Amino acid sequence: MTMQANPTKGEIIDLEKSYWDAMKSKDGGRTAELSAKTSLVTGAKGVMSIPKSKMSKMTEEGNWTLESYEFDDVEVTTPLPDLAIIAYTVKQRVKMDGKATTLYVADSSTWVRGSEGWECHAHSETLIADKHSRRALNALAEL
């Protein structure tokens, strides 16, 4: 059995951006391809266990669009050659029910490399304040 090298930070960032790009283009086939057989997702709606088929449908349907996104504060760890965890903040411009809004969130994803390539097994998203407010909160936390 040949051991694969740990992925680079850039490779994992590219994987994560590929997922975001698929959401932006509402490409359910691609989000399903990048998702595990069942993915765990946490966020504003609580905890969900989402099968590939539902991930595809969720991406393609719904009255929302991802207009743009920008990653910041990206951290990646690869504890094993076939396991990578990425965490970052992201500014996302979205339209929900026709109403444009900008969200600032902290996200993390757990990627596992298997026989089908890299798949996201878990994703978590937490709403945060804008960058200016976040810096103020961080300064207060250091007091």
Side-chain angles (χ1 to χ4, degrees):
M1 179 183 222
T2 305
M3 284 285 290
Q4 297 211 27
N6 281 24
T8 66
K9 180 178 182 178
E11 289 170 327
I12 300 306
I13 292 171
D14 288 347
L15 269 174
E16 194 74 12
K17 285 184 175 182
S18 179
Y19 208 106
W20 279 82
D21 289 341
M23 289 191 305
K24 188 175 173 186
S25 64
K26 293 184 99 56
D27 183 351
R30 182 70 175 143
T31 58
E33 178 184 322
L34 290 168
S35 297
K37 182 177 179 181
T38 302
S39 296
L40 299 177
V41 178
T42 65
K45 293 184 178 184
V47 177
M48 295 180 283
S49 178
I50 305 173
K52 274 184 184 278
S53 59
K54 187 173 180 187
M55 188 68 74
S56 178
K57 192 173 185 179
M58 287 173 63
T59 301
E60 294 168 355
E61 297 177 358
N63 199 6
W64 64 272
T65 56
L66 173 62
E67 302 292 319
S68 65
Y69 67 91
E70 298 171 36
F71 287 1
D72 197 15
D73 302 324
V74 179
E75 296 290 336
V76 174
T77 184
T78 53
L80 299 167
D82 295 327
L83 175 65
I85 303 162
I86 183 171
Y88 53 93
T89 58
V90 60
K91 174 183 174 182
Q92 47 185 301
R93 296 181 194 276
V94 297
K95 276 189 185 174
M96 291 185 236
D97 297 318
K99 183 180 176 189
T101 190
T102 300
L103 301 172
Y104 297 88
V105 297
D107 283 13
S108 67
S109 296
T110 301
W111 291 89
V112 177
R113 181 169 38 196
S115 61
E116 301 294 317
W118 285 100
E119 295 178 326
C120 185
H121 283 250
H123 181 78
S124 181
E125 182 168 275
T126 303
L127 189 62
I128 57 174
D130 65 35
K131 197 169 220 178
H132 177 74
S133 298
R134 192 170 72 242
R135 284 190 181 126
L137 289 171
N138 287 341
L140 286 173
E142 291 176 5
L143 294 178

Short mmCIF file of all heavy atoms in Angstrom, two decimals, residues 81-103:
data_model
loop_
_atom_site.label_atom_id
_atom_site.label_comp_id
_atom_site.label_asym_id
_atom_site.label_seq_id
_atom_site.Cartn_x
_atom_site.Cartn_y
_atom_site.Cartn_z
N PRO A 81 -2.25 11.85 6.13
CA PRO A 81 -2.19 12.11 4.68
C PRO A 81 -3.55 12.19 3.99
O PRO A 81 -3.70 12.92 3.02
CB PRO A 81 -1.37 10.94 4.14
CG PRO A 81 -0.56 10.46 5.30
CD PRO A 81 -1.42 10.70 6.51
N ASP A 82 -4.54 11.49 4.51
CA ASP A 82 -5.85 11.46 3.86
C ASP A 82 -6.92 12.20 4.66
O ASP A 82 -8.12 11.97 4.47
CB ASP A 82 -6.29 10.01 3.62
CG ASP A 82 -5.36 9.30 2.64
OD1 ASP A 82 -4.84 9.96 1.73
OD2 ASP A 82 -5.16 8.09 2.80
N LEU A 83 -6.49 13.10 5.55
CA LEU A 83 -7.42 13.86 6.37
C LEU A 83 -6.94 15.30 6.44
O LEU A 83 -5.78 15.57 6.76
CB LEU A 83 -7.49 13.26 7.78
CG LEU A 83 -8.32 14.02 8.82
CD1 LEU A 83 -9.80 14.01 8.42
CD2 LEU A 83 -8.13 13.41 10.19
N ALA A 84 -7.84 16.23 6.15
CA ALA A 84 -7.50 17.65 6.22
C ALA A 84 -8.68 18.41 6.82
O ALA A 84 -9.84 18.11 6.57
CB ALA A 84 -7.20 18.20 4.84
N ILE A 85 -8.35 19.40 7.65
CA ILE A 85 -9.36 20.25 8.25
C ILE A 85 -9.00 21.69 7.90
O ILE A 85 -7.85 22.11 8.07
CB ILE A 85 -9.41 20.06 9.78
CG1 ILE A 85 -9.66 18.59 10.11
CG2 ILE A 85 -10.47 20.96 10.41
CD1 ILE A 85 -9.32 18.20 11.53
N ILE A 86 -9.98 22.42 7.40
CA ILE A 86 -9.79 23.81 7.04
C ILE A 86 -10.76 24.66 7.85
O ILE A 86 -11.91 24.27 8.06
CB ILE A 86 -9.98 24.03 5.51
CG1 ILE A 86 -9.70 25.49 5.13
CG2 ILE A 86 -11.34 23.57 5.04
CD1 ILE A 86 -9.66 25.74 3.62
N ALA A 87 -10.27 25.81 8.33
CA ALA A 87 -11.11 26.76 9.06
C ALA A 87 -10.78 28.15 8.52
O ALA A 87 -9.61 28.44 8.20
CB ALA A 87 -10.85 26.67 10.56
N TYR A 88 -11.79 29.00 8.43
CA TYR A 88 -11.59 30.32 7.84
C TYR A 88 -12.79 31.21 8.13
O TYR A 88 -13.85 30.72 8.55
CB TYR A 88 -11.41 30.21 6.31
CG TYR A 88 -12.52 29.42 5.63
CD1 TYR A 88 -13.63 30.05 5.10
CD2 TYR A 88 -12.45 28.03 5.55
CE1 TYR A 88 -14.65 29.31 4.51
CE2 TYR A 88 -13.47 27.29 4.96
CZ TYR A 88 -14.56 27.94 4.43
OH TYR A 88 -15.57 27.23 3.85
N THR A 89 -12.62 32.48 7.91
CA THR A 89 -13.75 33.37 7.91
C THR A 89 -14.08 33.65 6.44
O THR A 89 -13.21 33.57 5.57
CB THR A 89 -13.47 34.70 8.64
OG1 THR A 89 -12.35 35.34 8.06
CG2 THR A 89 -13.21 34.45 10.13
N VAL A 90 -15.34 33.96 6.19
CA VAL A 90 -15.75 34.23 4.81
C VAL A 90 -16.82 35.32 4.81
O VAL A 90 -17.75 35.30 5.61
CB VAL A 90 -16.23 32.94 4.09
CG1 VAL A 90 -17.41 32.30 4.79
CG2 VAL A 90 -16.55 33.19 2.63
N LYS A 91 -16.62 36.26 3.91
CA LYS A 91 -17.62 37.29 3.65
C LYS A 91 -18.39 36.80 2.43
O LYS A 91 -17.80 36.56 1.38
CB LYS A 91 -16.94 38.62 3.35
CG LYS A 91 -17.87 39.73 2.92
CD LYS A 91 -17.06 40.97 2.58
CE LYS A 91 -17.92 42.06 2.01
NZ LYS A 91 -17.09 43.24 1.64
N GLN A 92 -19.68 36.62 2.59
CA GLN A 92 -20.48 36.12 1.48
C GLN A 92 -21.64 37.07 1.18
O GLN A 92 -22.32 37.52 2.09
CB GLN A 92 -20.97 34.70 1.73
CG GLN A 92 -21.58 34.44 3.08
CD GLN A 92 -21.93 32.99 3.28
OE1 GLN A 92 -22.71 32.42 2.54
NE2 GLN A 92 -21.34 32.39 4.31
N ARG A 93 -21.78 37.36 -0.08
CA ARG A 93 -22.91 38.18 -0.54
C ARG A 93 -23.93 37.21 -1.12
O ARG A 93 -23.60 36.44 -2.03
CB ARG A 93 -22.46 39.19 -1.58
CG ARG A 93 -21.48 40.20 -1.02
CD ARG A 93 -21.07 41.21 -2.09
NE ARG A 93 -19.91 41.96 -1.70
CZ ARG A 93 -19.92 43.04 -0.93
NH1 ARG A 93 -21.07 43.48 -0.46
NH2 ARG A 93 -18.81 43.67 -0.61
N VAL A 94 -25.12 37.24 -0.55
CA VAL A 94 -26.16 36.30 -0.96
C VAL A 94 -27.46 37.04 -1.23
O VAL A 94 -27.68 38.16 -0.75
CB VAL A 94 -26.40 35.21 0.13
CG1 VAL A 94 -25.17 34.36 0.34
CG2 VAL A 94 -26.84 35.83 1.43
N LYS A 95 -28.31 36.39 -2.00
CA LYS A 95 -29.68 36.85 -2.18
C LYS A 95 -30.58 35.74 -1.68
O LYS A 95 -30.44 34.60 -2.11
CB LYS A 95 -29.98 37.14 -3.66
CG LYS A 95 -29.55 38.49 -4.12
CD LYS A 95 -30.08 38.77 -5.52
CE LYS A 95 -29.54 40.09 -6.01
NZ LYS A 95 -29.93 40.32 -7.42
N MET A 96 -31.45 36.10 -0.75
CA MET A 96 -32.42 35.14 -0.23
C MET A 96 -33.81 35.72 -0.44
O MET A 96 -34.06 36.86 -0.01
CB MET A 96 -32.16 34.87 1.25
CG MET A 96 -30.88 34.12 1.50
SD MET A 96 -30.68 33.70 3.23
CE MET A 96 -29.09 34.45 3.55
N ASP A 97 -34.63 34.99 -1.15
CA ASP A 97 -35.96 35.47 -1.49
C ASP A 97 -35.89 36.84 -2.17
O ASP A 97 -36.70 37.72 -1.90
CB ASP A 97 -36.86 35.52 -0.25
CG ASP A 97 -37.08 34.14 0.34
OD1 ASP A 97 -37.28 33.19 -0.44
OD2 ASP A 97 -37.04 34.01 1.59
N GLY A 98 -34.87 37.03 -3.01
CA GLY A 98 -34.71 38.27 -3.77
C GLY A 98 -34.06 39.41 -3.01
O GLY A 98 -33.80 40.46 -3.58
N LYS A 99 -33.78 39.23 -1.72
CA LYS A 99 -33.19 40.29 -0.90
C LYS A 99 -31.69 40.05 -0.74
O LYS A 99 -31.26 39.00 -0.26
CB LYS A 99 -33.87 40.33 0.47
CG LYS A 99 -33.37 41.46 1.33
CD LYS A 99 -34.06 41.48 2.68
CE LYS A 99 -33.44 42.57 3.54
NZ LYS A 99 -33.91 42.52 4.91
N ALA A 100 -30.90 41.06 -1.14
CA ALA A 100 -29.44 40.96 -1.04
C ALA A 100 -28.99 41.25 0.39
O ALA A 100 -29.52 42.14 1.05
CB ALA A 100 -28.77 41.93 -2.00
N THR A 101 -28.02 40.47 0.84
CA THR A 101 -27.43 40.69 2.16
C THR A 101 -25.98 40.22 2.14
O THR A 101 -25.58 39.43 1.31
CB THR A 101 -28.24 39.97 3.26
OG1 THR A 101 -27.77 40.40 4.54
CG2 THR A 101 -28.12 38.46 3.15
N THR A 102 -25.20 40.74 3.07
CA THR A 102 -23.81 40.31 3.25
C THR A 102 -23.70 39.64 4.60
O THR A 102 -24.14 40.19 5.61
CB THR A 102 -22.85 41.52 3.17
OG1 THR A 102 -23.00 42.13 1.88
CG2 THR A 102 -21.41 41.08 3.35
N LEU A 103 -23.13 38.46 4.61
CA LEU A 103 -22.94 37.69 5.84
C LEU A 103 -21.45 37.53 6.11
O LEU A 103 -20.66 37.35 5.18
CB LEU A 103 -23.57 36.31 5.72
CG LEU A 103 -25.07 36.25 5.42
CD1 LEU A 103 -25.47 34.80 5.15
CD2 LEU A 103 -25.86 36.83 6.57
#
